[in-house]
Amino acid sequence: MKKIITDLNIGRSNSGLDMFCDLTLNEQHLYRMKCESFVANLMKYIRLCMTGHREPKYWNTQYGERNITAINVKADGDVDITVDNWIDYNGGNVQMLCIQGVHGLEGLNGQFSIHEGETPYIHQRISRYNWRIKGIAPSVTGEWDGASGIGIGSYHKTEWWDSYQRMPLRWFPIIGTDDRPVKASDLCLPGYFKRGCNQGNVSLSSVLTDQKSSKFTISRPFTNESGVVKQIAEIGLKSALYGNDMLMARDILGSPVNLDHASTLSLDYEILSEIENFNQDTDLNGSNGGWTEQFMHALHRCANPNASHTYGVEWNLACGLGGGGTGISPGTSTNVHSWQFGVRLGEDNKFVSMTDTNLTPDDNNKHGISHGYEDGALVHHGMHIGDLVIDDVVNEVYFPVERIFENRGANPITVREIGLYGNRTNSNAYSPRLLARRALAEVDQFTIQPGESVKVGFNCKAVV
């Protein structure tokens, strides 16, 4: 079977979703940097909200941040950590402990798993408030300042419960002091500067869209109240609502910022989606496309600092309607056509505009190639959303979104555009919206002959 797959990127300029950050110190602009680090959590939840079903293995950090109140470096090589509130339930099911922002003790911050192959050291639970990191003491040097450090407990979930079916909401910038390299699997900022820092209110701009791009800005000020100079070396984006602390981006600053006591550092994150190879002639200048304004509106809704939780259906993209094991099974009362969600094909390769709302943009009544057995139609076979791959070696995170199309008519059909449709809101009243579109140059177009089946899809990929 012929297979046609094209990348739908996150983290590359002019090719999908990207991010930049402006840094300002005491109202003086320092520099603008391109961010490189949408980490795996963002991709996990985009995939999860496309399927609305099950995720084989993902980190859930619903226990939230806990202040560290005591650290005991033991002679036997272990380090005991005490926090100010329970970090799990009675079952003790925490499998990853994230220690962040401990100052004075070098080597303690990081992610510690009960699975020895995942991190250099392992941890164990002593009680709800006490945790032991095994064998790390020889790598820890210095003396804790007694007033810093946060712990977050995480665990692997093997099933997506209805009560947690939501995208992490209320995005906000954070800062830290650790400069270790970014990994796609990062769950925290090791040097997270929170205790001793006045983290200001988060502000969110509206979505600004033209034909080529769509963007919005998330801003936040940070004032150092620790009494000492802090060297800010890392920045990030995280989400927290109802105890879920999800890191979605982390970057190391090219030039660290010395933040004096009482000084204020402000971050302005610009979330930007641009059409790749935007032009007026696809045949002449090549294929083009990317995420559309509809997708940006979905992200904007999640980033809102005042976003609220609608139980069970938060940010339900529903790209996997009718997709079997990775699909959504709506009730009969929803009266939707599953083939209208997910990957769809069209015959019009007019250049992609950020404001496109359908395939075949010059004919608002057509919406691409319809589902059927007659000439000019294609049979849409379910929808498959593949497993998430997290590769810390090349720092990539990706998953495929694919569908098989079959031509049961008597005439060949030439495909000149590929689209991805999904729900845009947190509603079970499903309505297909164009989340991404790619117009194909002549060299990239393909024909589905009578009796032929072709697998077509997008590879959703974040490059850290």
Side-chain angles (χ1 to χ4, degrees):
M1 181 188 299
K2 186 162 56 178
K3 185 175 181 179
I4 310 294
I5 303 294
T6 182
D7 281 349
L8 189 56
N9 290 312
I10 291 180
R12 285 184 175 172
S13 295
N14 302 315
S15 180
L17 186 71
D18 212 344
M19 185 163 64
F20 297 82
C21 188
D22 284 283
L23 290 83
T24 302
L25 180 62
N26 295 328
E27 300 185 353
Q28 180 179 352
H29 184 260
L30 297 178
Y31 57 87
R32 176 179 172 87
M33 62 178 286
K34 182 187 181 301
C35 300
E36 305 286 349
S37 58
F38 283 112
V39 293
N41 265 338
L42 177 64
M43 296 300 291
K44 288 179 181 181
Y45 279 86
I46 288 176
R47 179 189 180 276
L48 195 59
C49 292
M50 285 183 178
T51 65
H53 190 60
R54 293 173 184 262
E55 167 65 47
K57 185 180 181 182
Y58 70 95
W59 287 110
N60 183 289
T61 55
Q62 72 178 62
Y63 301 115
E65 297 176 344
R66 305 291 188 250
N67 289 335
I68 293 174
T69 58
I71 299 174
N72 180 20
V73 181
K74 303 174 65 178
D76 62 4
D78 297 344
V79 175
D80 285 354
I81 305 290
T82 303
V83 294
D84 64 351
N85 200 350
W86 53 266
I87 208 167
D88 72 343
Y89 299 107
N90 289 326
N93 57 357
V94 165
Q95 295 171 302
M96 178 76 80
L97 191 63
C98 297
I99 303 298
Q100 308 171 74
V102 172
H103 296 293
L105 278 178
E106 296 296 327
L108 182 58
N109 294 314
Q111 299 170 188
F112 304 97
S113 173
I114 63 173
H115 305 291
E116 292 189 59
E118 294 185 357
T119 59
Y121 308 100
I122 61 175
H123 77 272
Q124 72 178 58
R125 174 182 182 269
I126 302 173
S127 70
R128 282 184 166 190
Y129 299 86
N130 301 98
W131 292 85
R132 178 164 295 157
I133 302 176
K134 306 284 290 179
I136 192 178
S139 302
V140 174
T141 59
E143 184 176 347
W144 180 45
D145 64 7
S148 63
I150 291 168
I152 297 180
S154 308
Y155 66 97
H156 275 129
K157 291 192 70 170
T158 57
E159 183 173 327
W160 188 243
W161 300 338
D162 289 342
S163 59
Y164 297 116
Q165 187 177 319
R166 60 179 182 265
M167 182 76 174
L169 301 181
R170 297 183 184 176
W171 299 9
F172 56 92
I174 54 177
I175 59 177
T177 59
D178 199 297
D179 64 355
R180 73 185 68 181
V182 178
K183 295 197 302 181
S185 59
D186 280 346
L187 297 175
C188 65
L189 261 63
Y192 182 25
F193 180 34
K194 182 179 181 181
R195 300 175 69 180
C197 178
N198 181 351
Q199 302 183 97
N201 293 330
V202 178
S203 59
L204 182 71
S205 75
S206 58
V207 177
L208 301 176
T209 303
D210 54 32
Q211 284 190 320
K212 181 181 179 180
S213 65
S214 187
K215 61 186 178 182
F216 61 88
T217 302
I218 307 173
S219 303
R220 193 183 203 187
F222 304 85
T223 301
N224 182 5
E225 297 180 344
S226 68
V228 297
V229 176
K230 295 291 185 180
Q231 187 175 68
I232 305 304
E234 58 183 339
I235 61 175
L237 269 183
K238 67 179 296 187
S239 156
L241 183 63
Y242 299 99
N244 289 273
D245 290 272
M246 303 293 182
L247 182 71
M248 290 178 293
R250 177 174 177 250
D251 275 282
I252 303 302
L253 300 183
S255 302
V257 176
N258 286 324
L259 190 60
D260 295 330
H261 176 72
S263 292
T264 298
L265 174 68
S266 297
L267 302 184
D268 295 289
Y269 273 104
E270 182 180 82
I271 313 296
L272 170 70
S273 182
E274 288 187 313
I275 298 300
E276 177 188 14
N277 299 327
F278 179 77
N279 57 70
Q280 302 292 311
D281 192 333
T282 304
D283 284 327
L284 181 64
N285 296 305
S287 297
N288 74 331
W291 302 100
T292 67
E293 181 186 30
Q294 302 291 325
F295 181 73
M296 291 297 287
H297 276 296
L299 289 184
H300 184 267
R301 184 189 177 283
C302 295
N304 187 344
N306 298 312
S308 60
H309 167 222
T310 300
Y311 188 83
V313 293
E314 199 60 60
W315 208 54
N316 192 353
L317 284 180
C319 295
L321 275 167
T326 56
I328 303 167
S329 299
T332 55
S333 61
T334 58
N335 193 30
V336 300
H337 300 288
S338 298
W339 71 267
Q340 295 179 341
F341 295 80
V343 179
R344 288 167 59 180
L345 308 178
E347 299 173 282
D348 184 348
N349 73 332
K350 179 183 179 181
F351 71 95
V352 177
S353 172
M354 180 60 64
T355 55
D356 284 350
T357 57
N358 277 298
L359 294 176
T360 322
D362 285 334
D363 185 352
N364 287 329
N365 295 316
K366 191 168 184 182
H367 310 316
I369 300 170
S370 63
H371 173 76
Y373 303 89
E374 66 276 7
D375 285 344
L378 291 169
V379 178
H380 296 59
H381 289 285
M383 260 298 300
H384 174 69
I385 299 177
D387 289 340
L388 185 79
V389 177
I390 304 172
D391 190 335
D392 275 330
V393 176
V394 296
N395 262 0
E396 291 184 348
V397 187
Y398 55 90
F399 64 91
V401 182
E402 304 168 319
R403 170 174 262 153
I404 293 174
F405 297 88
E406 182 183 2
N407 184 358
R408 295 192 184 180
N411 297 313
I413 296 176
T414 298
V415 177
R416 296 182 174 87
E417 58 183 334
I418 305 171
L420 180 64
Y421 282 77
N423 216 34
R424 198 189 83 178
T425 66
N426 65 327
S427 173
N428 276 328
Y430 300 118
S431 177
R433 303 292 185 101
L434 183 67
L435 303 180
R437 177 174 174 252
R438 185 168 182 81
L440 303 178
E442 186 173 358
V443 68
D444 296 323
Q445 295 168 15
F446 57 96
T447 299
I448 306 178
Q449 299 291 341
E452 184 181 25
S453 294
V454 177
K455 181 183 287 187
V456 185
F458 290 102
N459 188 39
C460 300
K461 182 168 69 173
V463 182
V464 176

